[in-house]
Amino acid sequence: MDLRPVLFLDSGIGGLPYCGRFARRNPGERVIYVADRANFPYGGKDRDALGRILSALARDLDNLFRPKLAVLACNTASVTALALLRERFPGIRWVGTVPAVKPAASASLKRHIGILGTARTIADPYTEGLLRRCAPGCKLTGIAAPDLVDFVERGGDRAGIDEQRGRAAPYIAGFRRAGADAVVLGCTHFVFLRDAFESLSGEGSPEEAVRIFDSVEGVAGRAESLLEKHGIRAAPGGGAALPGERPRNLLVLTGDGEPGELWRQRAADAGLSLGRLGEF
Ligand code: DGL
């Protein structure tokens, strides 16, 4: 029995669906979701800057919370800094989040997949390598959408479906024009727009149909299987460690600013206690 927490880390709100999926299936595990608001957005930063930011943050989080496992619930952080974090913090088991290229490649009839991500993820050599390993022979169209990251972070996660569709539509049109028929949401923020993307994906003629993929299930499942494999679950089968006990799960924001109403609502909806990193 290992009662240390499981961390989820993103530049902002993007990783919350990953944390939610894991927490629902593992109610006995204590989860701590960290939104690195102080350094948002990650997508326009280079590898060196992200390596520095994430190493410093991981050090603080390790000292404060002593996690047994950490999920980098962020594609940008994972493609640039996962290897570095594994090397620097070997006491933590790390799970990365990278674009779900494999299932998209299997589903693509045109052998042409799209990745919607941040500028860093699209340009990073890791993504090129991922394509060669997991989707050999497939053509790739990568599109960066920093405005969409910003939209979600500022409250687009709670916007109505019409507004979300309006934001997503130009991107789906771009992938269609390029000839891709399987599109990967390669930035965790875009998972909040999944319904909007899905509803747009079937429009047009059958030849223009596009399928949408994300990594939520795969990443949450990977975290769960690592706990099992290493015998570090809080309780057998993922249930409560003690009868009736519920762990205190947190949503932690970096930076000095007041959390504000939006984050209070997000934390309440996710069943997490909200706080700033400096308060712990
Ligand atoms: N959510 C992040 C990702 O998956 C990045 C968003 C940002 O630019 O900070 O890539």
Side-chain angles (χ1 to χ4, degrees):
M1 198 159 107
D2 189 334
L3 297 177
R4 290 176 299 161
V6 175
L7 277 188
F8 287 78
L9 177 56
D10 181 41
S11 58
I13 189 71
L16 204 57
Y18 293 71
C19 179
R21 181 75 58 98
F22 174 86
R24 272 194 300 283
R25 278 211 304 243
N26 299 275
E29 298 293 340
R30 182 172 183 225
V31 298
I32 300 180
Y33 183 82
V34 180
D36 188 12
R37 214 171 40 144
N39 293 299
F40 175 87
Y42 284 174
K45 298 186 169 61
D46 63 27
R47 279 188 150 245
D48 288 350
L50 287 166
R52 277 194 302 276
I53 288 169
L54 287 154
S55 296
L57 182 56
R59 177 149 302 116
D60 287 349
L61 295 171
D62 191 26
N63 288 337
L64 273 173
F65 300 118
R66 295 278 171 228
K68 56 185 170 186
L69 186 139
V71 178
L72 269 188
C74 173
N75 294 264
T76 311
S78 300
V79 303
T80 55
L82 181 63
L84 182 74
L85 294 172
R86 281 196 170 125
E87 189 187 304
R88 292 203 176 156
F89 302 93
I92 302 175
R93 294 196 160 81
W94 293 91
V95 175
T97 301
V98 296
V101 157
K102 220 181 215 166
S106 319
S108 172
L109 299 175
K110 297 183 181 168
R111 309 298 296 148
H112 187 161
I113 65 174
I115 299 182
L116 189 64
T118 65
R120 182 69 257 148
T121 299
I122 299 301
D124 203 86
Y126 182 98
T127 304
E128 179 62 40
L130 183 70
L131 188 80
R132 262 187 274 111
R133 277 198 313 281
C134 299
C138 268
K139 197 172 161 198
L140 172 70
T141 294
I143 300 183
D147 59 313
L148 222 48
V149 174
D150 209 57
F151 166 67
V152 172
E153 187 67 17
R154 288 174 194 280
D157 55 321
R158 313 175 77 80
I161 187 76
D162 289 343
E163 190 180 354
Q164 292 186 344
R165 275 171 56 96
R167 300 285 184 146
Y171 292 103
I172 286 291
F175 285 118
R176 273 206 182 102
R177 266 197 311 277
D181 63 351
V183 171
V184 182
L185 303 181
C187 167
T188 56
H189 279 71
F190 305 156
V191 172
F192 283 104
L193 308 178
R194 170 129 198 173
D195 289 349
F197 279 111
E198 289 280 6
S199 73
L200 293 159
S201 64
E203 289 183 349
S205 65
E207 302 80 61
E208 288 179 319
V210 167
R211 288 186 59 191
I212 308 294
F213 295 85
D214 70 48
S215 57
V216 176
E217 195 60 44
V219 169
R222 172 85 184 135
E224 192 175 316
S225 68
L226 278 185
L227 295 182
E228 194 68 51
K229 177 172 162 203
H230 295 288
I232 52 173
R233 275 193 174 287
L242 298 169
E245 183 192 317
R246 305 288 299 183
R248 183 167 170 256
N249 295 333
L250 305 176
L251 195 168
V252 178
L253 303 176
T254 65
D256 299 328
E258 273 303 308
E261 190 47 34
L262 180 59
W263 281 101
R264 271 193 282 276
Q265 283 174 15
R266 286 167 166 170
D269 289 354
L272 303 171
S273 307
L274 183 64
R276 280 182 297 178
L277 189 58
E279 295 164 0
F280 292 96

